Amino acid sequence: MKNLKVFIFSAFALVSAVALRTIQLLFFTDSKTGFYKEGLEVVGTTLMVILVAVIAIASLLIFLFEKKKVNPAPSSSALLGCAALFAGIANFAEPFLGEVSLSSVPPTLLGLRMVLIFASGAVLCWFGIAILFDARLHPALSIVLIVTWVVRLMSSFICFTRMSNISENLYDVLMLISTLVFMLIFGKAICGFSTSETNRKLIASGIAAVLFTAASSIPCIIAYLTSDFAFIHIPVDSPITGLFTAFFIAVYLIDICKNKAEE
């Protein structure tokens, strides 16, 4: 498998990021306000800097090794197809399961957001079916994913103007930005407009998207399941959708880094 060292370090970074964020969330954050507890601001900020640095190193590590030829076109993989399907279904379910209030988002943008989330769910489901049955992928549909994540990011910024939780906002924004960058490069790559340098950026952005999503979503789920941590922050974008999307990205990266020569 190509870039094996990068994936091994990324796995270490994943565990480290989730552990650091969980510690930061449970022990250094005031759940009622979202800010760090009095006297722990420096420690909490230091952990944040370390976490972001670990993720940055993991994502940029691909540029330090010799270039490996990869084919960005997804193969006919059952695991990859199911991952895309699950990500699509999670998008379909998100509008019905979300708890956050989007009253600050203009109605037109809110309606567009809803339509695009359903559309991105349909695109991911089609990608999953196409991969499973080796059908035509229609890569131009990736533009729907790009526009959807742009609108997600816009909606989050609007909602964050009235939310106090600074640290959580940062992780959510980094998750959305890194996933958007991946979607941009992913769309370009599967449409055939890629070079070896583009493919390295694809892997780097994909690793960043997976790690930031894990750091944003998993610690909050752990906090809810393992303690009476009543957290005031409710993410604008469903962490479940984020995790399924991150799983699809991770499986895709592993798939293209298998021993497949670039055509």
Side-chain angles (χ1 to χ4, degrees):
M1 180 177 173
K2 299 179 177 68
N3 304 309
L4 181 60
K5 293 179 180 178
V6 174
F7 286 106
I8 292 175
F9 185 85
S10 297
F12 165 77
L14 175 64
V15 175
S16 301
V18 171
L20 287 174
R21 177 57 187 148
T22 303
I23 292 171
Q24 184 189 56
L25 188 62
L26 291 178
F27 301 107
F28 301 111
T29 304
D30 184 348
S31 63
K32 295 181 180 179
T33 65
F35 290 101
Y36 294 122
K37 294 178 181 178
E38 187 175 355
L40 297 176
E41 294 86 353
V42 174
V43 179
T45 302
T46 301
L47 283 179
M48 179 186 295
V49 171
I50 293 173
L51 188 153
V52 173
V54 168
I55 294 177
I57 292 171
S59 60
L60 296 176
L61 200 62
I62 186 71
F63 296 101
L64 300 181
F65 293 99
E66 181 183 355
K67 292 182 180 180
K68 303 288 185 179
K69 290 184 177 180
V70 298
N71 183 356
S75 64
S76 182
S77 162
L79 179 59
L80 181 58
C82 289
L85 275 174
F86 287 143
I89 293 170
N91 274 271
F92 278 129
E94 179 177 349
F96 303 104
L97 301 178
E99 299 179 8
V100 69
S101 172
L102 297 173
S103 57
S104 57
V105 179
T108 302
L109 181 60
L110 188 59
L112 179 61
R113 181 179 185 273
M114 185 79 69
V115 170
L116 286 172
I117 287 177
F118 282 123
S120 63
V123 169
L124 286 168
C125 285
W126 171 249
F127 281 178
I129 293 171
I131 291 169
L132 284 172
F133 296 100
D134 201 21
R136 185 182 176 188
L137 198 63
H138 296 291
L141 291 174
S142 59
I143 189 65
V144 175
L145 303 178
I146 296 169
V147 176
T148 300
W149 258 261
V150 169
V151 173
R152 282 181 181 273
L153 190 57
M154 292 170 62
S155 302
S156 294
F157 272 124
I158 293 172
C159 291
F160 288 168
T161 58
R162 63 183 185 86
M163 295 172 65
S164 64
N165 196 312
I166 305 301
S167 62
E168 275 302 299
N169 293 354
L170 174 65
Y171 290 114
D172 289 351
V173 168
L174 289 174
M175 173 190 70
L176 290 169
I177 291 174
S178 57
T179 304
L180 173 59
V181 172
F182 170 80
M183 292 298 181
L184 284 165
I185 304 175
F186 170 74
K188 181 178 179 181
I190 63 174
C191 284
F193 303 105
S194 65
T195 63
S196 59
E197 192 65 23
T198 303
N199 292 337
R200 296 173 88 183
K201 293 177 181 178
L202 176 68
I203 296 171
S205 61
I207 290 173
V210 171
L211 295 182
F212 278 124
T213 300
S216 174
S217 304
I218 296 178
C220 290
I221 295 174
I222 293 174
Y224 279 122
L225 294 178
T226 61
S227 71
D228 57 352
F229 194 81
F231 203 33
I232 192 173
H233 176 80
I234 300 176
V236 176
D237 299 281
S238 169
I240 302 302
T241 302
L243 289 175
F244 276 115
T245 303
F247 180 66
F248 163 68
I249 294 172
V251 175
Y252 169 75
L253 294 180
I254 294 172
D255 178 70
I256 65 173
C257 286
K258 289 179 181 178
N259 293 318
K260 301 190 301 180
E262 186 178 24
E263 295 179 354

